[in-house]
Amino acid sequence: MFDKNTYIRRRKSLQTKVKSGIFLFLGNNEASMNYPANTYRYRQDSNFVYFFGLQLDNLAAIIDIDERKEIIFGNDYTIDDIIWMGNQPSLQSLAESCGISEVQPYNQLSEYLLKAKQAGRQVHFLPPYRDDNKIFLHQTLDIPFEELKNAASVEFIKAVVALREIKDDEEIAEMEKACNVGVQMHLAAVRYCKAGMIERELAGLVEGIALSGGNGVSFPVILSQNGETLHNHNHEQILENGRLLLVDAGAELKSVYSSDYTRTFPVSGKFTQKQKEIYEIVLQANTEAIAMIKPGLTYQKVHYHATTVITKGLTKLGLMKGNPEEAVSVGAHALFMPHGLGHMIGLDVHDMEDLGENYVGYDEQTQRSTIFGHGSLRCGKELKKGFVLTVEPGIYFIPQLIDKWEKENKFTDYINYNKVREYIGFGGIRIEDDVLVTDTGYRVLGQPLPKTVEEIEKIME
Ligand code: GLY
Ligand code: MN
Ligand code: MN
């Protein structure tokens, strides 16, 4: 947890952005796996962490703008809890650690909100994503479940995004650490990869390093020879020489700042010519996209550049044809890269996605594309100093998508299906880094992680 002044400052800034009402923050509770007492790893809500720093279950907080009050709601642990959990800090001392002096029992929260509602005051809440918090909001504010998401306060959402999207030095230092744990995870995967292993043996090693570095992985590890499946969580295949292995994994620290890297490498330690040709295109898209990053440019432009690099590369190899810019403008590239170039990253690996992707990644000036592929870009808006984004271009050969588009005669002016068919079974390649937008350009976070063909082959020798 940062010094309490950080949280005091953040809450003060928040209050300058909305004129009246009450900000309500519902913390996350423990969630059960297979019986009530056997819980998943506890994860606090990121907005709660950002404004209060407290990572315990059964907490809520309000900032009452009209009455200039800040209150933490929770319950002190009883002797029964302490027998099982050990000694615990008092609610008062927890509140003081983030600069708040007033605490109240959790069961007083509904009454506080009800009173405010009866007085015609607005209770601003963020879109809930946990069922217990949905139930609380439904019962307390009498909002039907299906309307909760739309009843969330847009003013509150926009105010939170405006603060959280700009990472300050204290946060960037944490993100560097998260990246360095991520680098260690990927170095281990490259170094220990060997034909004959089961993918999960490598995935377990990667996950163990994340756990040693803090909270564990920032999202379930993607590690597969079928890298063409974008979020492939199946790790049951035996590693085979001749195939590529895609590893997409990141770390979450105790502070819950996270990292997100992807590397793709040959199981044998040596790329084939065919693999190298595709790899070099993805690498060029990754490095050119990173080099473009600077304040004032939209990330949508960077995404279009990366997809154009990919289209040009595939055209050179004969998999695509025609004018590459035109092919990208209509979305023909999306047969090979159906996702966007990247997303914001911070306290969440897809930062603030709970608040709604369009509020985080788009604004009045930059609208989300409706074209398949381009529309998957999570963040397209103008870059500002302090943003941290992933840059993750890829090329994938998805047999079902190839079949479907070919049957539909889709983009036959731009795609050589006969040539593409030669790549069925190739898998997929993605290369992902985490990049900070600086005053004048960019800085790639974390220690260098090998990504050229030569670097990867050397480390696997
Ligand atoms: N963690 C999946 C991604 O790279 O966005
Ligand atoms: Mn990733
Ligand atoms: Mn990512």
Side-chain angles (χ1 to χ4, degrees):
M1 178 168 183
F2 298 127
D3 181 84
K4 66 177 164 199
N5 287 315
T6 295
Y7 305 103
I8 292 170
R9 191 179 65 241
R10 289 171 176 178
R11 294 194 301 268
K12 227 184 225 160
S13 301
L14 182 65
Q15 289 173 72
T16 63
K17 295 184 188 299
V18 176
K19 285 201 183 69
S20 62
I22 295 171
F23 292 126
L24 169 64
F25 298 87
L26 295 175
N28 283 345
N29 299 316
E30 295 280 10
S32 300
M33 283 193 289
N34 51 341
Y35 55 90
N38 205 20
T39 55
Y40 292 103
R41 168 172 76 77
Y42 177 71
R43 177 55 153 86
Q44 180 57 290
D45 171 72
S46 298
N47 299 303
F48 205 90
V49 176
Y50 185 80
F51 290 102
F52 305 95
L54 304 175
Q55 296 195 46
L56 291 111
D57 76 326
N58 218 19
L59 292 178
I62 56 116
I63 300 175
D64 190 326
I65 306 164
D66 313 318
E67 298 193 3
R68 300 183 162 276
K69 269 192 197 167
E70 295 180 327
I71 308 171
I72 300 270
F73 291 86
N75 298 319
D76 272 315
Y77 289 95
T78 65
I79 186 65
D80 286 336
D81 301 319
I82 290 165
I83 290 167
W84 294 96
M85 300 165 67
N87 207 15
Q88 299 295 318
S90 68
L91 187 61
Q92 189 72 49
S93 69
L94 288 170
E96 278 164 13
S97 69
C98 65
I100 291 185
S101 52
E102 186 170 352
V103 298
Q104 287 193 26
Y106 202 100
N107 64 12
Q108 296 298 302
L109 177 60
S110 306
E111 203 175 303
Y112 194 103
L113 298 175
L114 219 55
K115 251 196 211 155
K117 198 179 156 209
Q118 280 159 0
R121 298 208 288 141
Q122 191 179 351
V123 176
H124 299 273
F125 62 88
L126 298 171
Y129 54 91
R130 291 258 180 128
D131 288 345
D132 46 1
N133 285 337
K134 287 183 190 173
I135 292 168
F136 176 87
L137 288 169
H138 165 72
Q139 289 179 337
T140 308
L141 301 176
D142 197 24
I143 302 170
F145 283 109
E146 60 279 10
E147 285 173 26
L148 279 171
K149 197 172 158 213
N150 288 336
S153 162
V154 174
E155 272 182 290
F156 191 9
I157 291 171
K158 288 187 171 172
V160 172
V161 171
L163 290 172
R164 281 184 56 190
E165 69 182 5
I166 308 290
K167 276 70 179 178
D168 63 20
D169 290 348
E170 209 168 29
E171 295 180 283
I172 292 161
E174 282 300 295
M175 296 201 64
E176 284 275 12
K177 284 189 229 162
C179 284
N180 288 337
V181 180
V183 166
Q184 293 309 316
M185 292 157 67
H186 282 267
L187 286 176
V190 175
R191 287 190 176 127
Y192 285 87
C193 171
K194 205 168 180 288
M197 285 175 86
I198 307 175
E199 289 167 341
R200 82 175 110 84
E201 294 178 70
L202 218 44
L205 180 70
V206 167
E207 188 150 356
I209 295 168
L211 271 171
S212 313
N215 270 352
V217 290
S218 51
F219 60 95
V221 171
I222 298 163
L223 185 151
S224 177
Q225 292 176 122
N226 285 110
E228 77 278 12
T229 304
L230 301 183
H231 282 179
N232 197 338
H233 300 302
N234 180 301
H235 306 141
E236 295 303 320
Q237 291 191 80
I238 296 180
L239 297 180
E240 287 170 31
N241 284 329
R243 296 198 68 182
L244 289 169
L245 182 66
L246 184 150
V247 182
D248 182 352
E252 181 181 293
L253 300 182
K254 283 282 161 198
S255 59
V256 307
Y257 285 94
S258 53
S259 61
D260 184 8
Y261 285 96
T262 308
R263 288 293 182 266
T264 311
F265 49 89
V267 171
S268 69
K270 284 262 176 266
F271 286 89
T272 65
Q273 184 58 28
K274 196 174 178 182
Q275 289 168 344
K276 204 185 289 187
E277 285 167 357
I278 301 290
Y279 189 90
E280 294 289 8
I281 301 170
V282 181
L283 184 62
Q284 188 187 348
N286 167 284
T287 53
E288 286 194 16
I290 291 173
M292 280 176 83
I293 288 177
K294 62 174 185 196
L297 186 69
T298 68
Y299 205 51
Q300 204 168 48
K301 279 225 171 84
V302 186
H303 163 88
Y304 272 93
H305 180 79
T307 48
T308 305
V309 169
I310 280 172
T311 305
K312 283 182 178 166
L314 292 173
T315 302
K316 234 185 192 165
L317 287 180
L319 285 99
M320 293 188 77
K321 57 186 172 179
N323 179 305
E325 278 84 8
E326 250 174 54
V328 167
S329 72
V330 294
H333 74 287
L335 178 64
F336 307 99
M337 182 177 151
H339 62 72
L341 182 62
H343 49 86
M344 290 220 198
I345 178 165
L347 288 168
D348 307 296
V349 67
H350 288 182
D351 211 20
M352 301 177 275
E353 206 162 285
D354 58 312
L355 303 181
E357 266 185 42
N358 285 346
Y359 290 121
V360 179
Y362 292 89
D363 54 22
E364 284 73 25
Q365 285 74 45
T366 314
Q367 305 293 315
R368 185 188 277 264
S369 166
T370 52
I371 296 172
F372 176 74
H374 296 308
S376 296
L377 179 63
R378 296 181 200 274
C379 177
K381 70 187 182 185
E382 190 177 300
L383 302 173
K384 289 187 197 144
K385 179 189 173 206
F387 281 15
V388 182
L389 297 120
T390 66
V391 180
E392 49 180 307
I395 295 179
Y396 314 89
F397 295 92
I398 306 167
Q400 299 80 352
L401 190 61
I402 295 167
D403 281 350
K404 182 171 188 291
W405 279 29
E406 190 176 15
K407 259 194 211 119
E408 291 168 0
N409 285 323
K410 209 164 165 173
F411 299 129
T412 45
D413 288 346
Y414 303 109
I415 297 166
N416 278 324
Y417 285 100
N418 284 343
K419 184 78 179 164
V420 173
R421 293 231 147 260
E422 292 173 19
Y423 286 75
I424 300 274
F426 180 98
I429 293 176
R430 178 162 65 251
I431 307 173
E432 178 175 24
D433 292 297
D434 302 338
V435 181
L436 167 71
V437 183
T438 63
D439 259 334
T440 53
Y442 68 92
R443 179 156 66 83
V444 180
L445 297 180
Q447 292 149 354
L449 180 59
K451 65 178 172 180
T452 66
V453 165
E454 297 72 32
E455 285 167 345
I456 288 172
E457 290 188 347
K458 185 154 186 5
I459 200 172
M460 293 187 80
E461 268 173 8

